[in-house]
Amino acid sequence: MRRSIFLFVIAGILILYYVPPIVYAQESKFSQNLTVEQELYAATGDQLPLWLHANTFATVPVDAPGSVTSGLYGAEMRLGDSLSIDSSLGVGFSVADGVVAGQLRQADIGVQWRFLELRGGVFPYTRGEVPIPDLTTGSMVVSGNASPLPLIQLTIPSFVPIPFTNEMLNMRGGIAHGWFT
């Protein structure tokens, strides 16, 4: 299951990268970005303090000393005012106590049309809304302390007025389905 989701996301990224924007009749905008990071960690004991590896989506090793090298590639294509497609691929390698571990950090593709967004793959996702997310551990399964789960979600990411209420009522929400791997 994880392999098929990974291949789906890679195919989406390749299609998004290689389809030139001139194919579309309407005006399109294409943007890409690449981020590379190198982090080094040290502690007086044999483990890092909780606040250094909490809410990092399991990307920082618990054991000290350690290092993390990661990269994230993202692309977005806007097709007119109401349609956009974006994708990302992120990998990371961590070294702690002489053990090298590789991790797929993010591999997803999303389509946003008007106020709806459909996204699938592996990406950082926290459930619910917390005023200060750094001060909570949140859900133990879907939180900043766990590795991201492969999932598919359909959301309304920002508040949208409900018709026939004279914009007095707004809604925002979504549904997501994930798989434990």
Side-chain angles (χ1 to χ4, degrees), residues 78-151:
R78 292 192 136 319
L79 305 168
D81 293 335
S82 61
L83 180 65
S84 67
I85 303 169
D86 66 89
S87 63
S88 61
L89 177 65
V91 293
F93 297 94
S94 62
V95 178
D97 282 342
V99 177
V100 178
Q103 183 183 31
L104 178 66
R105 303 268 174 96
Q106 188 168 344
D108 67 309
I109 187 164
V111 177
Q112 186 163 3
W113 178 68
R114 295 189 183 182
F115 58 86
L116 289 175
E117 181 180 38
L118 177 66
R119 179 168 301 281
V122 178
F123 53 95
Y125 170 74
T126 54
R127 196 173 88 191
E129 190 169 324
V130 180
I132 306 173
D134 294 339
L135 296 179
T136 182
T137 58
S139 169
M140 295 305 288
V141 176
V142 184
S143 73
N145 291 322
S147 294
L149 294 173
L151 59 89

Side-chain angles (χ1 to χ4, degrees), residues 4 11 51 55 69 71 85 111 146 166:
S4 62
W51 57 86
N55 292 321
T69 303
I85 303 169
V111 177
N166 201 15

Side-chain angles (χ1 to χ4, degrees), residues 4 22-23 40 87 105 150 171:
S4 62
I22 59 173
V23 170
L40 301 172
S87 63
R105 303 268 174 96
M171 65 181 227

Side-chain angles (χ1 to χ4, degrees), residues 15-74:
I15 288 169
L16 185 62
Y17 183 75
Y18 286 111
V19 174
I22 59 173
V23 170
Y24 303 99
Q26 63 267 40
E27 181 181 331
S28 64
K29 296 178 184 175
F30 182 73
S31 63
Q32 305 177 70
N33 59 28
L34 177 66
T35 305
V36 179
E37 296 179 355
Q38 173 66 47
E39 303 166 3
L40 301 172
Y41 297 98
T44 55
D46 58 348
Q47 288 190 339
L48 289 175
L50 173 66
W51 57 86
L52 285 180
H53 61 86
N55 292 321
T56 60
F57 292 100
T59 58
V60 176
V62 177
D63 299 326
S67 70
V68 175
T69 303
S70 60
L72 178 66
Y73 168 78

